[in-house]
Amino acid sequence: MPMASQTGRNEGAVGGSVLRLDRVSKFYGAKVALDDVSLTVPDNAYVALLGASGSGKTVLLRTIAGFETLDRGVITLKGKPVNEVPAHRRAIGFVFQNFALFPHLSVVDNVAFGLKNAPGVKLDARAIDTKVRAMIELVGLSGLEGRAVTAISGGQRQRVALARTLVTEPQLVLLDEPLGALDANLRSRMCGELRRIRERLGVTFLHVTGSETEALAMGDQVIVLDQGRIAQIGQPDEVYTRPLDARVARFLNCYNLIEGRVEGRGFATEGRLLPCAQIGPAGAEIYALRQDLIEVAPPAQGPNEGPRLPVTFVASEYSGPSITSFFKLPSGAVITVENHLSHRDPQVFEPGRSYDLTWKVDDALILARGTGARA
Amino acid sequence: MTALPTTTATAAAEASSNKRSRTPYLLIAPGVIWMLLFLVLPILMMVYVSFWTQTTFKIEPILTTKSWQTFFASDTYLGALWTTVRIWLIVLAATLLVGYPTALFVGLFVRNKTTATALLVLCVIPFWTSFLIRVLAWRPMLGKEGAINIILQHLHIVSQPIDALLFTELSVVIGMTQIYCVFMVGPIAFMLGRIDPSLIEAARDLGAGFGRIFRTIIFPLSLPGVVVGAIFVSVMVLGEFATAAALSGRKVNLLGNIIVTQVGSLKWAFAAVAGVVLTVIMGVVVAALLRLVDLKREL
């Protein structure tokens, strides 16, 4: 567990972390939804929780919020265990994927809901109004205060949902695929907005997403969840360039994964022994190669310098800034090569012809299969 | 050659669009004719007849307000009017009081749709027997030597049987509440079932406890169901006469009972007056209930 050491370091240092999970497990009958999850979420940070559907990311979020009970483990919020604290007393904000706006209330009343109905200190109407208007302005909804939430657009609803949560000043905001219900254009705009709003308020966002690009773009830290377990925790570039196992690499959607096995100082696959810079973990049997770090060359006759694989060209796909080409290995496996057009003119390949793929030894990773095989 | 098919096609299209524009009217025609013949016309007739001259043995189409004056001068009729309104309000409150929690359980706490439907069907089971049996079955329950008195005496809660249970206003209210409660439960449970569970979670997350959530989210969102249920119950209770006749021992006279007696003694004009009064009350009640929510928007 990569986080075990970090958890240890943060023990007692309450100020640095807003949320801590210790060996949290959750079962639905025989199905394991969360399997021994431990993690620490730092204060004032944007943390992206990345996982495929069914990886347990929404369950994890709902558990933290208090909508689901734990079967094992401890959740600590600002140094206090909250296992027994009901959802409405946890002071955690939750932004729902479908926004869950109250359909019978106007924009203002939706945003003011938490201030009017929370237990504890009662604010007077003036104070509530001031706070609500400031928050509405922060999320850029000025002028829509009196509108019914059924009469505004998807992006505006997203902002209302955000404002409604943020106005209660939670220490931690959980966002459950907050951009999932928006179209692509709006999504990229809201990405920037979310970061800006978070930085202004200095709270911690824990953003659950199934999109690797979203996670890498948004997070100061990325947590990869796979089959109810933490597969990797790290900075976005760390996760991107150094995935811990083949499942994480596959999920990042930018790696070619070639099956084989470690033999001596090399990696045996496709009837060849590829040289390796590092040997990788025990039982490693996947050779991972980033799609944008592969060179295509005419078939070479001479002696091999560095790794090289013979392939046949299949087809290309043009996608604006880059061109993606597909090659077939002798075993039939397909290798994807991405060329960014800003770097050079596109190479033209002939379908059915043989080429050689080359790359730098240092760019290749030798990975274990991942949690699925380990379990 | 090219023009001809086009013209035919246009003509065909026109014909079909004509046909289509006539179709909705054809669909609505039977209903409209039926309602005109058997609802609007009789109501107009009723209003007309209420102004006819009633003598002991016959009724003549000579217009007079005598029946109306008699109605509003008579303690019996005004008493019946007042009893009708009172019983209606009590039964409406009772069905809401019994029905809302039931609906809350079925619509909100039972998240399995199949179970919820099964529970609603369970509510309807009493309707598999006839109305009369359902009403009369209350007699052996509530009577002086009825089930409830026997049980209470056996448990030594009371020493003397309670006679107030049967042939009183209470028994009428009990009977009507039981019969009409399901009409309150159904619409409310339907509206509650449509509330997105994440709304309640969102409200919890924003710090609201259950009482708050109920007041600010659940109840307002279920209000259309309450209104529809209240309309059902009101219309049926206001027009009631059988339950009152069977369970009150003729002590409770509703406007419906007045109409039945008047028609029985061929006093058509009086019956018509009572009928008009009842219809007006129902109209006012329904209109008032509909003002509470915008049903068009909600449904």
Side-chain angles (χ1 to χ4, degrees), chain A residues 301-350:
Chain A
Q301 273 80 44
N304 281 353
E305 306 160 23
R308 188 175 272 270
L309 274 177
V311 290
T312 331
F313 176 69
V314 180
S316 285
E317 232 169 49
Y318 174 73
S319 66
S322 65
I323 192 158
T324 311
S325 309
F326 302 99
F327 297 90
K328 207 180 240 173
L329 286 170
S331 68
V334 173
I335 297 286
T336 311
V337 177
E338 194 180 311
N339 275 318
H340 287 270
L341 299 177
S342 51
H343 299 321
R344 56 168 164 201
D345 286 339
Q347 287 172 279
V348 179
F349 308 118
E350 223 176 279

Side-chain angles (χ1 to χ4, degrees), chain B residues 102-159:
Chain B
T102 313
L104 201 60
F105 176 76
V106 174
L108 208 64
F109 288 90
V110 181
R111 270 297 163 201
N112 182 330
K113 286 285 163 210
T114 321
T115 320
T117 314
L119 287 173
L120 280 181
V121 169
L122 223 60
C123 292
V124 182
I125 283 183
F127 287 81
W128 293 357
T129 62
S130 90
F131 182 89
L132 208 58
I133 292 173
R134 255 177 296 140
V135 173
L136 291 177
W138 277 108
R139 284 193 182 178
M141 280 294 285
L142 299 172
K144 210 166 176 180
E145 282 159 34
I148 291 178
N149 270 325
I150 292 175
I151 291 170
L152 287 180
Q153 277 174 303
H154 267 274
L155 293 175
H156 299 291
I157 296 169
V158 292
S159 50

Side-chain angles (χ1 to χ4, degrees), chain A residues 65-86:
Chain A
F67 299 145
E68 308 271 348
T69 52
L70 287 184
D71 289 320
R72 230 181 272 150
V74 182
I75 295 178
T76 314
L77 195 67
K78 283 242 160 174
K80 291 195 190 78
V82 292
N83 284 28
E84 303 303 320
V85 180

Side-chain angles (χ1 to χ4, degrees), chain B residues 3 12 49 85 120 160 184 210 221 243-244 253-254 260-261:
Chain B
V49 170
V85 171
L120 280 181
Q160 290 292 311
M184 191 62 102
F210 184 78
L221 288 177
T243 313
N253 276 315
L254 304 177
V260 172
T261 356

Side-chain angles (χ1 to χ4, degrees), chain A residues 60-104:
Chain A
L60 181 61
L61 217 58
R62 292 176 56 83
T63 311
I64 296 170
F67 299 145
E68 308 271 348
T69 52
L70 287 184
D71 289 320
R72 230 181 272 150
V74 182
I75 295 178
T76 314
L77 195 67
K78 283 242 160 174
K80 291 195 190 78
V82 292
N83 284 28
E84 303 303 320
V85 180
H88 66 281
R89 296 187 183 274
R90 284 198 187 183
I92 295 178
F94 198 106
V95 178
F96 290 80
Q97 184 174 9
N98 63 358
F99 314 142
L101 300 181
F102 307 127
H104 58 302

Side-chain angles (χ1 to χ4, degrees), chain B residues 22-40:
Chain B
R22 235 180 297 143
T23 313
Y25 297 109
L26 286 175
L27 288 174
I28 199 71
V32 169
I33 292 168
W34 186 273
M35 291 306 243
L36 281 176
L37 278 180
F38 301 115
L39 185 75
V40 177

Side-chain angles (χ1 to χ4, degrees), chain A residues 62 66-67 87-88 92-94 96 98 100-104 113-114 116-119 164, chain B residues 196 198-210 212-213 215-217 220-221 297:
Chain A
R62 292 176 56 83
F67 299 145
H88 66 281
I92 295 178
F94 198 106
F96 290 80
N98 63 358
L101 300 181
F102 307 127
H104 58 302
F113 185 90
K116 282 182 186 161
N117 294 297
R164 185 179 69 175
Chain B
D196 180 353
S198 66
L199 288 188
I200 291 158
E201 283 177 347
R204 267 173 78 197
D205 186 67
L206 292 167
F210 184 78
R212 283 265 170 185
I213 297 176
R215 214 153 43 88
T216 53
I217 309 293
L221 288 177
R297 208 184 54 139

